[in-house]
Amino acid sequence: MFDAKRCDQTVEAMFAEMNANQRQSATRPLKKDDPSTWETKNWPEGRKFLTGCVAASEMAFRNRFDPALVSVFVELFGTTKLWAAIDHWGVMRGTM
């Protein structure tokens, strides 16, 4: 639905936001291409979804209100009366 460029921009925005909200115990910034930085202590939260903060970047808002994405939910729910939520980034780390 989103092209590769938009997906890459979204991932970059998410990592930038995660790094801006890191805990004080973080030892180094998160890097999307470096799984060794994905230790729990480097994420904003140590809980299930790791983020702990609202996804508030410009890209997160652009994605929430993108007409192509909205049209998917219109089709799924059969109505144009939709509400956009302010939610968190959902992150699931790979395992090594």
Side-chain angles (χ1 to χ4, degrees), residues 71-83:
S71 70
V72 170
F73 286 98
V74 167
E75 185 68 27
L76 287 171
F77 293 110
T79 183
T80 58
K81 296 179 180 181
L82 303 172
W83 294 25

Side-chain angles (χ1 to χ4, degrees), residues 32-88:
K32 69 175 183 159
D33 297 322
D34 184 358
S36 70
T37 67
W38 301 351
E39 296 173 348
T40 300
K41 64 185 171 191
N42 294 327
W43 292 87
E45 288 286 331
R47 298 180 193 182
K48 182 178 178 182
F49 291 108
L50 304 173
T51 59
C53 51
V54 171
S57 70
E58 180 182 341
M59 184 57 70
F61 280 95
R62 283 181 55 203
N63 289 345
R64 286 182 186 106
F65 294 102
D66 186 277
L69 181 61
V70 171
S71 70
V72 170
F73 286 98
V74 167
E75 185 68 27
L76 287 171
F77 293 110
T79 183
T80 58
K81 296 179 180 181
L82 303 172
W83 294 25
I86 305 299
D87 51 8
H88 302 266

Side-chain angles (χ1 to χ4, degrees), residues 14-34:
M14 185 205 73
F15 273 90
E17 197 165 346
M18 295 302 99
N19 284 320
N21 291 296
Q22 276 186 311
R23 292 182 279 177
Q24 290 183 331
S25 61
T27 58
R28 55 192 178 149
L30 295 161
K31 295 180 182 175
K32 69 175 183 159
D33 297 322
D34 184 358

